[in-house]
Amino acid sequence: MVLGLALGLSVQAQEFQGIAVYQSKTSSAEMKERFANDKNMTPDRQKQIEERMKSMFEKTFILNFDKTASIYKEEEKLDAPGQGGDGRMKMMSSMMGAGGTMYKNVKDKNYTVDKEFMGKDFLVKDSLVKLNWKMEGESRVIGGYNCFKATAVIAMNETDLGNFRPRSDEEKRKEDAAEKEKKTSLLDQIKAPTERVVTAWYSPEIPVNQGPDKYWGLPGLILEINDGKTVILCSKVVLNPKEKASIKAATNGKLINQKDYDATVVKKIKEYRDNNPRPAGGPGGGGGRR
């Protein structure tokens, strides 16, 4: 009888699953200001750009998780008519990894994510980055769950969209003058990488060390992440849903590690920028060679 009960509890633990729905919002104030200051842009075109930017920077993601692994994927939805976007918008959307599925295995400490970048499919597989979380001792309630605050310092790199910003005309003149005799940077339109502080709120009431996107490693499900540019907030949690998800890594795409994938992205951005220079008319112009 005792053995049967133990086996039953073991099976239940193995079958445990949960679903968390997250709303992700990334600040786009700088881009909105640049488009708003473009005198050549019509009101209709500006409205179209703003709608496209909203779809890029405000998204819903679903996290399916069990005791050891999870899959994190953007909620599928159709684009509204007329939201095709221009080349720069499509480029940025591609860099945000739309449509990809991130698989994290916290037991084996690895991850797999399928990405489509500029028409090519990649399968990025690598080890999870260990985050040195600092417990801050603060608490709050999110969605009825008691949560605690933790922070970590994370290095940004060239492919982090949250670090992207076109140079102002004044910045461009000064930097171009200073580097006239030097080799042009691969990403001279992008701010230099910096470190940032990430704030997480996790709940020990959901005892899995999972979280949205690349975040993990806390003694409870991460319900909110704020990196200063993007806020990812959990809006719904369902434990032990009736329908179980298949929590497995994707298998399609060119196998590559994170370092090599980042190098590929940097190279392609340079090629794209060189072949599609920003026109004199500003952000709303056509671009490209004629």
Side-chain angles (χ1 to χ4, degrees), residues 6 22 45 92 118 137 185 243 247 288:
Y22 293 88
R45 178 57 176 162
M92 293 179 67
M118 299 188 74
S185 167
E243 295 186 10
I247 301 180

Side-chain angles (χ1 to χ4, degrees), residues 119-168:
K120 293 185 178 181
D121 294 325
F122 294 89
L123 190 67
V124 183
K125 298 186 71 173
D126 218 318
S127 299
L128 284 170
V129 176
K130 183 180 179 180
L131 304 177
N132 295 316
W133 293 108
K134 177 184 177 183
M135 305 304 178
E136 300 291 350
E138 298 180 36
S139 64
R140 57 183 280 213
V141 176
I142 299 178
Y145 291 95
N146 292 311
C147 297
F148 297 90
K149 181 180 179 180
T151 58
V153 177
I154 297 179
M156 301 175 72
N157 60 42
E158 294 93 336
T159 65
D160 193 328
L161 187 64
N163 198 37
F164 278 41
R165 170 174 75 81
R167 296 183 303 169
S168 67

Side-chain angles (χ1 to χ4, degrees), residues 1-233:
M1 179 67 179
V2 175
L3 179 59
L5 178 61
L7 289 174
L9 291 174
S10 176
V11 171
Q12 288 182 7
Q14 291 174 0
E15 294 180 348
F16 167 79
Q17 277 197 17
I19 301 173
V21 180
Y22 293 88
Q23 309 299 325
S24 173
K25 186 172 183 179
T26 300
S27 173
S28 57
E30 292 180 12
M31 287 188 62
K32 287 182 178 179
E33 183 178 356
R34 292 186 68 84
F35 283 119
N37 292 333
D38 181 11
K39 298 179 181 180
N40 296 325
M41 185 179 295
T42 65
D44 287 343
R45 178 57 176 162
Q46 185 171 337
K47 182 178 180 180
Q48 184 184 55
I49 292 292
E50 289 177 352
E51 288 297 319
R52 181 62 180 172
M53 288 173 64
K54 183 177 180 180
S55 71
M56 287 173 55
F57 293 105
E58 297 181 19
K59 297 187 176 186
T60 300
F61 291 86
I62 309 296
L63 180 75
N64 289 275
F65 59 90
D66 58 26
K67 288 290 186 180
T68 60
S70 68
I71 51 175
Y72 183 70
K73 185 176 182 179
E74 182 183 351
E75 182 181 57
E76 295 182 1
K77 60 183 179 181
L78 297 175
D79 282 340
Q83 286 196 11
D86 61 16
R88 290 181 299 279
M89 286 294 187
K90 290 179 180 179
M91 175 70 155
M92 293 179 67
S93 180
S94 174
M95 291 184 62
M96 294 178 78
T101 299
M102 170 169 276
Y103 169 85
K104 295 198 300 289
N105 189 310
V106 297
K107 180 180 179 180
D108 298 334
K109 295 181 174 53
N110 59 42
Y111 69 92
T112 302
V113 56
D114 57 327
K115 291 177 174 286
E116 180 183 349
F117 180 70
M118 299 188 74
K120 293 185 178 181
D121 294 325
F122 294 89
L123 190 67
V124 183
K125 298 186 71 173
D126 218 318
S127 299
L128 284 170
V129 176
K130 183 180 179 180
L131 304 177
N132 295 316
W133 293 108
K134 177 184 177 183
M135 305 304 178
E136 300 291 350
E138 298 180 36
S139 64
R140 57 183 280 213
V141 176
I142 299 178
Y145 291 95
N146 292 311
C147 297
F148 297 90
K149 181 180 179 180
T151 58
V153 177
I154 297 179
M156 301 175 72
N157 60 42
E158 294 93 336
T159 65
D160 193 328
L161 187 64
N163 198 37
F164 278 41
R165 170 174 75 81
R167 296 183 303 169
S168 67
D169 291 338
E170 182 63 22
E171 288 175 325
K172 188 175 187 301
R173 282 193 294 269
K174 290 181 179 179
E175 291 175 19
D176 286 353
E179 298 188 10
K180 187 175 181 181
E181 302 300 326
K182 298 180 182 179
K183 183 178 180 181
T184 303
S185 167
L186 291 180
L187 295 173
D188 64 356
Q189 295 265 357
I190 300 172
K191 294 174 67 177
T194 60
E195 290 185 334
R196 61 182 173 185
V197 176
V198 174
T199 299
W201 292 90
Y202 69 95
S203 176
E205 295 174 5
I206 310 175
V208 295
N209 56 352
Q210 290 283 351
D213 198 19
K214 58 194 172 186
Y215 300 104
W216 69 291
L218 285 166
L221 181 66
I222 298 173
L223 297 185
E224 181 177 326
I225 283 287
N226 187 335
D227 68 2
K229 193 80 172 179
T230 298
V231 177
I232 306 175
L233 176 63

